[in-house]
């Protein structure tokens, strides 16, 4: 079946540090890949997405590249801010309007 | 415009009580999904509607869980005879279904259910 594995947290970084959150997936077919973010007290928000191999999704300084050969979609940001503190979820969806399959989430805390 | 809304935001139920959780999707969104998010876990799929038709309910954990969307808009997730293991955040998401759409799902804030 389809599944997503992401690095366990919590991750604590100082402001302006480099961030990587690893995500790998197993899927039948050709999935679309997503990163969602959940800020404290708020709902899930789509951060970025990629729909085919070698696509790079980017938003708010975050980036992730769809790597089919390594079945990975690692999230990176060059310089994190305190406001980036949240829980980040990697997810996939197979073709069509199908349910999302999520990883367990990684909590990021950025300290000033 | 208005996003997905859910009510109540918080619900405390005694074990054995029935609860009903409401989701108002974005106007015009055809598809509606329910997910369950246990503490410290990612959301897990429960059920999916396209208009009023329930196309997939494979994620419902037991026959105590029932969902409906009678007019193809508002949806209600009902849990009968709640158990402690039902304690979780219940998320609703809606999406458009159009040719070539990436089918982005927009999430509501969730209902946190605590069964005591």
């Amino acid at each position: 079946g389809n599944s997503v594995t992401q690095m366990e947290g919590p991750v604590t970084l100082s402001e302006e540090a480099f961030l990587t959150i690893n995500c790998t997936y197993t899927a039948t077919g050709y999935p679309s890949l997503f990163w969602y973010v959940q800020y404290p007290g708020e709902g899930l928000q789509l951060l970025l997405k990629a729909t085919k191999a070698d696509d790079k999704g980017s938003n708010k300084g975050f980036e992730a590249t769809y790597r089919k050969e390594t079945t990975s979609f690692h999230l990176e940001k060059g310089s994190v801010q305190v406001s980036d503190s949240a829980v980040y979820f990697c997810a996939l969806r197979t073709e069509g309007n199908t349910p999302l399959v999520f990883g367990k989430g990684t909590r990021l805390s950025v300290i000033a | 415009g208005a996003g997905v809304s859910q009510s109540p935001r918080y619900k405390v139920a005694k074990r054995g009580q029935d609860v009903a959780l409401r989701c108002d999707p974005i106007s015009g969104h055809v598809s509606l999904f329910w997910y369950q998010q246990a503490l410290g876990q990612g959301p897990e799929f429960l059920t999916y509607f396209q208009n009023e038709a329930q196309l997939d309910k494979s994620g419902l954990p037991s026959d105590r869980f029932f969902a409906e969307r009678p007019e193809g808009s508002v949806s209600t997730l009902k849990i009968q005879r709640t158990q402690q293991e039902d304690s979780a955040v219940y998320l609703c998401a809606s999406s458009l279904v159009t040719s070539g759409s990436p089918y982005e799902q927009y999430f509501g804030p969730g209902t946190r259910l605590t069964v005591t």
Side-chain angles (χ1 to χ4, degrees), chain B residues 28-104:
Chain B
H29 277 197
V30 171
S31 295
L32 187 147
F33 299 82
W34 283 98
Y35 295 87
Q36 181 191 57
Q37 186 177 12
L39 188 64
Q41 303 294 314
E44 294 190 354
F45 168 71
L46 292 175
T47 187
Y48 158 52
F49 291 85
Q50 186 162 319
N51 295 306
E52 68 278 4
Q54 190 173 19
L55 299 186
D56 187 347
K57 54 182 181 179
S58 61
L60 295 176
S62 79
D63 59 7
R64 295 186 296 104
F65 286 70
F66 172 76
E68 60 183 5
R69 194 185 184 198
E71 297 178 357
S73 178
V74 171
S75 177
T76 304
L77 176 67
K78 297 179 179 177
I79 309 173
Q80 296 177 322
R81 304 181 303 282
T82 51
Q83 303 295 315
Q84 284 195 314
E85 62 263 27
D86 301 335
S87 296
V89 176
Y90 291 85
L91 298 170
C92 175
S94 69
S95 70
L96 285 168
V97 179
T98 57
S99 176
S101 164
Y103 306 122
E104 181 175 338

Side-chain angles (χ1 to χ4, degrees), chain A residues 33-108:
Chain A
L33 302 174
F34 305 83
W35 278 100
Y36 279 81
V37 59
Q38 193 170 37
Y39 296 105
E42 298 185 17
L44 278 170
Q45 300 174 26
L46 179 64
L47 180 60
L48 53 84
K49 63 179 184 285
T51 58
K52 60 182 188 295
D54 300 326
D55 266 3
K56 178 185 283 188
S58 60
N59 186 25
K60 299 182 181 179
F62 291 88
E63 293 182 341
T65 301
Y66 189 142
R67 299 285 187 204
K68 191 166 185 285
E69 64 276 12
T70 54
T71 62
S72 65
F73 193 55
H74 303 321
L75 182 68
E76 296 182 336
K77 186 174 186 183
S79 176
V80 293
Q81 305 300 311
V82 172
S83 57
D84 294 326
S85 297
V87 181
Y88 293 81
F89 293 92
C90 186
L92 68 81
R93 189 189 63 220
T94 53
E95 294 173 15
N97 194 20
T98 52
L100 290 159
V101 176
F102 287 88
K104 291 186 176 182
T106 303
R107 181 176 298 279
L108 170 66

